[in-house]
Every structure is written in C-alpha cells, then in structure tokens.
C-alpha cells in the first residue's frame, strides 16, 4: 500500500491527461493547502492557552487570526514544511 499521500492511479491519470489542469495550478493549490494546514497548526498551538498575544477581545482575536493566516501563507510560499512540493510531485508535476 502507498504512503499517506498516495494518489489513486485513476485520479492521477485523470489529472495528468486533463489539459485544463495546468502544473502551475496544481502547485498553487498545493501551496494554498499547505498554508491552510500551517494556519490550523498555529491555531491549535495556542487554542488552550487563554488569551492570545493580540489580546482577549474580539478585535485581538481577529488580529491574531489574520496574522496567523498571513504567516502561514508566507511560510508555505517560502517552501513551508515541504508538503506542497510532495503533493505537487504526487499529482504528476515534478
């Protein structure tokens, strides 16, 4: 059996043969996916700790959410944890 991120052969074949699916789109989607995962990890890292660094009120919470989102996007765009590269390669774009 394949690894955790193995793509079924039928899905990979359909993705590779579909001219509408461009390698750049796959890479962009993979980076966005990784950014979402990083953001969720950041949220869960401080979820049980009470007040965030931005304060306890709604404005502070919204500020912390925006900062986490931006940080996660920048991290993913810079290579992140390598997950986007792995997903892109798994979908046929090396």
């Amino acid at each position: 059996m394949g690894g955790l991120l193995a793509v079924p052969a039928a899905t990979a074949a359909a993705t590779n043969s579909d001219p509408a699916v461009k390698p750049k789109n796959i890479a962009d989607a993979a980076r966005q996916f990784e950014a979402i995962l990083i953001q969720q990890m950041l949220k869960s890292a401080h979820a049980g700790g009470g007040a965030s660094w931005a304060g306890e009120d709604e404005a502070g919470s919204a500020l912390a959410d925006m900062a986490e989102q931006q940080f996660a996007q920048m991290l993913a765009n810079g290579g992140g944890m390598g997950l986007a590269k792995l997903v892109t390669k798994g979908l046929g774009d090396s």
Side-chain angles (χ1 to χ4, degrees):
M1 179 161 203
L4 181 63
L5 296 174
V7 177
T11 304
T15 302
N16 291 335
S17 65
D18 187 356
V21 178
K22 296 182 174 68
K24 184 182 182 315
N25 293 345
I26 293 171
D28 288 344
R31 275 191 299 278
Q32 290 172 9
F33 174 70
E34 184 171 16
I36 291 169
L37 288 178
I38 292 170
Q39 182 180 2
Q40 291 303 313
M41 288 178 8
L42 290 170
K43 279 184 182 183
S44 65
H46 76 268
S52 74
W53 56 268
E56 294 183 30
D57 60 353
E58 280 188 45
S61 178
L63 177 64
D65 286 344
M66 288 190 316
E68 287 169 352
Q69 182 180 11
Q70 288 300 311
F71 179 72
Q73 189 65 51
M74 287 175 32
L75 197 64
N77 287 342
M81 301 179 296
L83 183 60
K85 188 175 185 178
L86 183 65
V87 169
T88 303
K89 186 175 182 179
L91 289 175
D93 179 43
S94 46

